[in-house]
Amino acid sequence: MKTHVLFSSILCMALLLGAGKALALDIPPGGDALGHQLVASQSSVIAQLTSNDGTVMGFTTAVPLTGQVPTQFRLAHDTYTATERLVPGNHYLLFLSMDAAGALQLATSAYSIVAVDLQEAASYRTAIANYQQTWRDPQSFKRVALAQLDASVPYLRYSAMADLAYRGLFTADDGALLARLAASSTASQPEVRKLALGQIGGLRLVAYAEQLGAVLGNAAETTSIRLAALDGLRFMDRTDVIQRQAASVGDSPSPKLKARMLEALEPQPQ
Amino acid sequence: MKAHSSSRPTTRKWAVGLALAAIPLFGFDRGCVTQPQTDILVTSPSVNVQGYIGRYDDNTLEWQENMAGWARMRVNGGAFMAWDQTDANNVWQQSAVPLPLGVNVLDGETWRSTPNGVVSGNIDDFILERKNDLVANGSQPVFLDWSAAGLDAELKAIATGTLNGPLTAAQQNAFVANVKAGVANFFTNAYAGTSVTLASAPGTGVHTVKFIVGDSCSLFGYSPGDYKNTNKTQTSHVLIGTFRCVLVDRLVSTTPAELTDTLAMRVEDVATAIGRTTAHEVGHSLGLTAEGETRLHGCGGSHNCEAYDDANPSDRFDVGHHIMDPGGSSKLYARIGQSNPNTRAKKTPYFERYGKSYLKLIHP
């Protein structure tokens, strides 16, 4: 009990010291995905938000995942978590570390909070266990991450895609898979599609150039998806496919898309 | 003045030009704006807008020549202003275009006569955002503090971990010195045109960038966000240990960098990556890219917002080529100043026009 009181006091003191801080972060590519979050954190937990007064968030641990986390704990908001729509009663996956004063904090601010459904806990537990077992062995990790691309949980799908892409683990043998993930007919979230489009280009999978061209030329796609397709085609030097989509790009209201297309058609500076 | 009656065509000339390829055409027209820059912040209630009427090739989309003709503009979908005829240099100018406070989307149209009839063109949507809360805030000196222990070893580890070796001690020492000089050079170039300049010592009114080793591989840097730079004596941190982790692990596998690169190439890669984060963190402390419609429309922790570009005629986010792009979606090849992950083609990270216009307003 004394220990609990002391721990709570330390937490409160740290909260007062840290409350309202507004540190803007530069995280590595894919730093919001599961792999980096596990590296950045000392513990992870699915917890229910019990209170949120805009300054401090109160949580009750529902499913401990890694490390040691108290049953109940509080986290100070920073400028960026304060703008998140965090709803008391809902559950969140939290990646936690200790600050210099020994208080719990989010490992990388708002990047370390993921809204979850408690029924997804088993999926998170399995994924985290897989990551912990394989992260240091790229080929073993690739096997579990590829399987995770079909996970039912969007954050786990995104994480698998980001961690595979940013670690450079896709190869030309993954072309069909990447084409499926890049397709608009799939239920993939936009971030997964953009990464897949970029990987197809980065790996120079020219067999899928026309698919990327169709995405670039599809006015129903968002500018960011079309730009990802444009980048993919640029990476594989298929200016002929880009050129064929000029009409539809010209019809876009996005000056950014047009500017990038014109850049792509210009000779590259060396 | 001839009152040319044309409603804004729903189909752009690029599309028309290509769809009618069987008909002899003289290209398609596109009005471009040369003054002021587009997608920037302004403080004045009106601006003069100048530009050209460009004729473009239907097939290559390349600019061919500027043409004489007429142009007019409108603001936020309102009434068009009067047609303006181009001058002897083929420049059109719409004078005193009124700008209400907030985000303004301007567009326009052009026309000119040819022996085959009238050729119309569009001036694409662009943003001029007028703000009245930004005032000049003097200069901002910045001190780069490399005094922390262990930094040189981390930098040397990047060199030895991403190049075929062995590297001599002298080569490694030169690498460290050249990277530090390259970071300073990158910073100076990134902030060119503003009064954000490097200082030789810390002190009151001086922003300090502390380079530290760090204890994780998941954070390149952090800095206090400070819209309008209300506190000039702040400290940003850049974690060199994270660069060592990430670059040794991923530089060769996800960027055009090769183990066979020269030491000079690697100096430029690393100096660009660290310099970009240095400029990025100082940018946060100056107020970039503050979130909210009354601030700078940032998102994801005060960064350039890709979603904003999806919804507006803006160009704020570019996968890391823009300095204030969010870390998680800033590609490593962009961070080292390359335009793609496969072959070397230089594209040095920079503050996009909107962010640079903010910097020029508060630190002219």
Side-chain angles (χ1 to χ4, degrees), chain B residues 11-342:
Chain B
T11 304
R12 305 291 172 130
K13 282 297 162 185
W14 287 17
V16 172
L18 290 173
L20 302 180
I23 302 172
L25 291 174
F26 297 90
F28 65 91
D29 282 6
R30 186 183 179 199
C32 68
V33 174
T34 55
Q35 291 288 336
Q37 287 188 316
T38 58
D39 198 18
I40 62 168
L41 290 166
V42 298
T43 55
S44 57
S46 67
V47 291
N48 296 333
V49 181
Q50 290 184 352
Y52 293 104
I53 300 170
R55 182 175 69 80
Y56 289 78
D57 182 88
D58 284 326
N59 294 313
T60 66
L61 306 181
E62 289 179 352
W63 172 85
Q64 302 297 304
E65 59 183 331
N66 290 329
M67 309 299 294
W70 301 77
R72 65 178 184 177
M73 304 208 64
R74 63 180 176 177
V75 180
N76 297 326
F80 279 104
M81 299 178 69
W83 287 103
D84 179 78
Q85 188 170 19
T86 55
D87 63 16
N89 296 315
N90 290 335
V91 174
W92 56 263
Q93 172 169 300
Q94 295 269 277
S95 300
V97 177
L99 296 177
L101 281 172
V103 176
N104 297 292
V105 177
L106 286 73
D107 68 345
E109 53 190 19
T110 67
W111 71 272
R112 63 183 167 90
S113 292
T114 75
N116 297 316
V118 169
V119 175
S120 300
N122 289 322
I123 301 169
D124 286 343
D125 293 1
F126 65 93
I127 286 176
L128 292 178
E129 181 176 353
R130 181 181 158 211
K131 290 178 73 68
N132 64 358
D133 65 333
L134 301 178
V135 295
N137 190 15
S139 62
Q140 175 64 70
V142 176
F143 176 62
L144 305 184
D145 181 355
W146 290 96
S147 65
L151 296 176
D152 289 5
E154 294 289 329
L155 291 173
K156 290 174 183 175
I158 296 173
T160 57
T162 63
L163 289 170
N164 284 336
L167 298 174
T168 66
Q171 286 175 314
Q172 293 182 43
N173 289 335
F175 178 83
V176 169
N178 290 335
V179 165
K180 290 177 182 177
V183 169
N185 189 48
F186 180 95
F187 186 93
T188 299
N189 289 335
Y191 282 96
T194 75
S195 57
V196 180
T197 55
L198 290 180
S200 57
T204 302
V206 176
H207 184 96
T208 297
V209 179
K210 288 188 73 70
F211 297 91
I212 58 176
V213 172
D215 59 0
S216 86
C217 291
S218 298
L219 195 57
F220 282 134
Y222 56 94
S223 181
D226 182 15
Y227 180 58
K228 295 192 281 191
N229 193 21
T230 60
N231 180 356
K232 293 187 177 181
T233 314
Q234 293 177 314
T235 302
S236 298
H237 290 81
V238 175
L239 285 70
I240 301 302
T242 305
F243 283 94
R244 190 257 306 150
C245 291
V246 172
L247 293 177
V248 170
D249 187 40
R250 304 178 182 185
L251 183 69
V252 173
S253 61
T254 66
T255 80
E258 302 280 359
L259 289 169
T260 53
D261 287 344
T262 65
L263 197 60
M265 292 164 80
R266 191 64 74 248
V267 165
E268 185 163 1
D269 294 338
V270 177
T272 301
I274 297 174
R276 180 193 177 280
T277 291
T278 305
H280 177 104
E281 294 307 332
V282 173
H284 281 312
S285 78
L286 303 178
L288 292 172
T289 303
E291 300 188 13
E293 289 304 297
T294 60
R295 292 191 166 184
L296 302 175
H297 314 285
C299 67
S302 292
H303 293 105
N304 291 343
C305 196
E306 186 174 29
Y308 192 83
D309 289 346
D310 276 348
N312 297 282
S314 57
D315 188 355
R316 313 285 165 84
F317 170 84
D318 191 14
V319 302
H321 297 301
H322 294 167
I323 288 172
M324 296 311 296
D325 289 350
S329 47
S330 289
K331 314 295 187 193
L332 201 54
Y333 64 81
R335 288 174 178 271
I336 66 166
Q338 297 297 317
S339 73
N340 74 74
N342 292 328

Side-chain angles (χ1 to χ4, degrees), chain A residues 227 230 234 239 242-243 246 249-250 255-268, chain B residues 14 28 30 56-57 59-63 124:
Chain A
L227 281 165
L230 174 63
R234 187 168 60 84
T239 51
I242 296 172
Q243 184 102 38
V249 170
K256 175 179 178 176
L257 183 59
K258 293 173 188 173
R260 295 293 185 285
M261 195 189 77
L262 290 172
E263 284 176 18
L265 295 174
E266 290 173 355
Q268 289 291 302
Chain B
W14 287 17
F28 65 91
R30 186 183 179 199
Y56 289 78
D57 182 88
N59 294 313
T60 66
L61 306 181
E62 289 179 352
W63 172 85
D124 286 343

